[in-house]
Amino acid sequence: MIDTDIVVIGAGPTGLFTVFEAGLLGMRCHLVDSLTKPGGQCAEIYPNKPIYDIPAYPEIMAGELIDKLLEQIKPFSPGYTLGETAEKLSKSEGKFLITTDKNTQISAKVIAIAGGLGNFEPRKPVIDDLNKFEDNGVQYSIVDPKKFQGKNVVISGGGDSALDWTIVLSEIANKVTLIHRRNQFRGAVDSVNKIQKLKDKNKLDIITPAILKKLNGKNKLESIDVAIDNEIINIPTDYLIPLYGLVPKMDVFKSWGLEIEKNAIKVNNSLDYQTNKEGIYAIGDINYYPGKLKLILSGFHEAAIMCHSAYQIINPGKKNILKYTTVSGISGFDGTKKEPKKTQINSFK
Ligand SMILES: Cc1cc2nc3c(=O)[nH]c(=O)nc-3n(C[C@H](O)[C@H](O)[C@H](O)COP(=O)(O)OP(=O)(O)OC[C@H]3O[C@@H](n4cnc5c(N)ncnc54)[C@H](O)[C@@H]3O)c2cc1C
């Protein structure tokens, strides 16, 4: 079992910055995210789009913002449980216990829910026998691309994820076939051009417009049937990876007894972004209060307030004084020290 001060559910920009604010106050964090990489919406939905409203950055790519946040929190050595969804909540002896869908258990006095739109679940194809083949040839995300070495893979979808993984796997798998129900792809033009070039070099196959019709196999996936116009063709394959995007869900947090309003977790914004359950905070896109702005900078601000409140729960009776980092410097848990610099004050004589 993992023991920490604050379990942060969600490794989007808000969750990542929480690690920094908690670290300044000497509190350790463990991040849990259903996705296999940190960054939330910025990394998953729009890594290559520029953002123009991050203070002090006139322009920054969403993916670069996440890289910078990861660099900023490195001294505070957070724990990571990625590719797992925080599912169950219990409490005993003054501590919360979070259990993920893969049975990882994390205990802490405080929970910070920075879950954005809720946990993302893959949008699945509507097709018979799908669950028979899930994790048995059919999968919705790629954790380790090396797994596909020497295998035949069909990727289904027309967005950035489908295009990006087709490009990556064309260098690794024995054969990659990209199928899509339309002739046009939705992904970046650059990726579409790359895919076309790879096809011209016989590095992959593209079949469009193709509709997934049937999964075949005895104990595991062996082939799929797709409809092209009025014809059904059979494609032998070891894997089918439908990449149709992600659907946000709030069910987990509802089941924890948290008050929900406007499909978000209701918090006390006049004080500290605590939910109706003491010790459980909700920050960033996941929370609701009158006047809420779903912006990255709101999440950063809420993380700072929340950590100062959580300090009192984690260190009862201890006084917490707000210190500027220019004065306190940074003392990382990994031994990093950033000393405050003495500034030259020019006084008038
Ligand atoms: C296309 C697009 C453009 C945008 N442009 C801007 C912009 O220009 N400026 C701006 O300020 N904002 C912009 N936004 C909004 C911004 O991305 C969000 O405000 C921000 O991502 C919220 O951060 P967050 O950390 O609160 O949540 P998210 O980024 O949504 O991260 C939440 C994370 O929590 C995880 N999670 C949820 N539930 C669970 C669970 N039960 N267990 C484990 N993990 C869980 C999710 O998998 C996710 O990774 C844009 C959004 C989109 C989609």
Side-chain angles (χ1 to χ4, degrees):
M1 195 206 307
I2 300 159
D3 191 52
T4 189
D5 293 321
I6 305 176
V7 190
V8 182
I9 298 171
T14 306
L16 295 178
F17 194 62
T18 305
V19 175
F20 182 77
E21 286 295 320
L24 289 181
L25 298 172
M27 300 181 293
R28 286 180 182 272
C29 293
H30 189 93
L31 291 151
V32 186
D33 205 298
S34 316
L35 300 177
T36 51
K37 58 177 188 291
Q41 294 173 53
C42 292
E44 192 63 28
I45 304 179
Y46 62 108
N48 298 316
K49 275 199 161 114
I51 308 179
Y52 302 107
D53 56 354
I54 301 297
Y57 281 103
E59 177 176 339
I60 186 166
M61 294 300 230
E64 197 191 341
L65 176 72
I66 297 305
D67 291 344
K68 289 201 177 288
L69 283 165
L70 287 168
E71 185 189 329
Q72 190 174 26
I73 66 173
K74 213 166 165 235
F76 298 115
S77 321
Y80 290 94
T81 297
L82 297 176
E84 298 188 27
T85 299
E87 250 182 18
K88 290 187 199 126
L89 169 75
S90 57
K91 195 170 184 186
S92 80
E93 294 170 17
K95 278 197 163 187
F96 293 106
L97 183 68
I98 293 284
T99 307
T100 72
D101 57 341
K102 295 195 176 140
N103 276 326
T104 304
Q105 294 200 305
I106 310 141
S107 90
K109 277 191 182 168
V110 167
I111 296 178
I113 304 175
L117 308 166
N119 58 304
F120 293 120
E121 282 185 8
R123 189 170 278 123
K124 299 183 179 184
V126 183
I127 190 163
D128 289 344
D129 290 337
L130 189 65
N131 15 354
K132 176 179 158 195
F133 293 104
E134 282 178 338
D135 291 329
N136 218 358
V138 174
Q139 57 184 69
Y140 305 101
S141 63
I142 296 170
V143 181
D144 180 12
K146 283 193 230 106
K147 170 176 169 181
F148 303 99
Q149 221 152 24
K151 303 286 183 194
N152 296 329
V153 182
V154 175
I155 292 179
S156 176
D160 282 317
S161 257
L163 299 182
D164 291 349
W165 280 116
T166 300
I167 295 167
V168 172
L169 293 191
S170 70
E171 297 294 331
I172 297 168
N174 178 52
K175 184 171 180 194
V176 180
T177 307
L178 176 64
I179 62 170
H180 182 41
R181 66 196 160 102
R182 295 205 177 93
N183 281 325
Q184 285 79 31
F185 292 99
R186 278 179 291 111
V189 180
D190 185 45
S191 308
V192 177
N193 292 341
K194 258 191 208 157
I195 293 263
Q196 192 55 51
K197 278 190 192 142
L198 288 165
K199 188 191 176 216
D200 295 342
K201 288 185 195 160
N202 278 329
K203 293 236 174 184
L204 53 88
D205 272 351
I206 303 174
I207 306 179
T208 64
I211 301 194
L212 203 53
K213 280 286 173 196
K214 196 162 167 262
L215 308 176
N216 311 302
K218 264 195 187 146
N219 301 319
K220 60 176 280 299
L221 186 70
E222 288 166 17
S223 71
I224 60 168
D225 290 351
V226 297
I228 306 166
D229 296 326
N230 292 325
E231 200 192 335
I232 299 280
I233 65 158
N234 178 267
I235 310 173
T237 190
D238 300 301
Y239 290 99
L240 168 70
I241 310 174
L243 296 172
Y244 299 161
L246 301 160
V247 197
K249 295 253 172 174
M250 287 291 288
D251 307 5
V252 168
F253 305 121
K254 271 187 201 156
S255 74
W256 294 0
L258 299 177
E259 241 180 278
I260 307 288
E261 196 171 331
K262 297 194 193 288
N263 205 30
I265 303 172
K266 198 174 162 191
V267 291
N268 169 357
N269 78 310
S270 61
L271 202 60
D272 53 8
Y273 305 105
Q274 215 159 164
T275 65
N276 57 316
K277 289 202 182 266
E278 206 188 336
I280 304 184
Y281 299 80
I283 50 177
D285 273 17
I286 194 95
N287 73 13
Y288 171 76
Y289 52 84
K292 167 77 185 184
L293 290 178
K294 292 199 180 196
L295 286 174
I296 295 167
L297 61 82
S298 315
F300 290 166
H301 164 79
E302 291 162 12
I305 305 259
M306 175 250 129
C307 284
H308 279 263
S309 167
Y311 183 90
Q312 304 301 335
I313 298 176
I314 290 164
N315 305 284
K318 257 193 175 178
K319 217 170 172 195
N320 168 31
I321 301 155
L322 175 72
K323 289 188 193 126
Y324 296 137
T325 54
T326 43
V327 176
S328 64
I330 289 179
S331 295
F333 301 143
D334 66 348
T336 303
K337 277 224 174 296
K338 287 190 178 168
E339 300 292 349
K341 298 257 179 348
K342 284 212 171 70
T343 43
Q344 192 84 40
I345 297 173
N346 296 319
S347 52
F348 294 102
K349 285 192 182 145

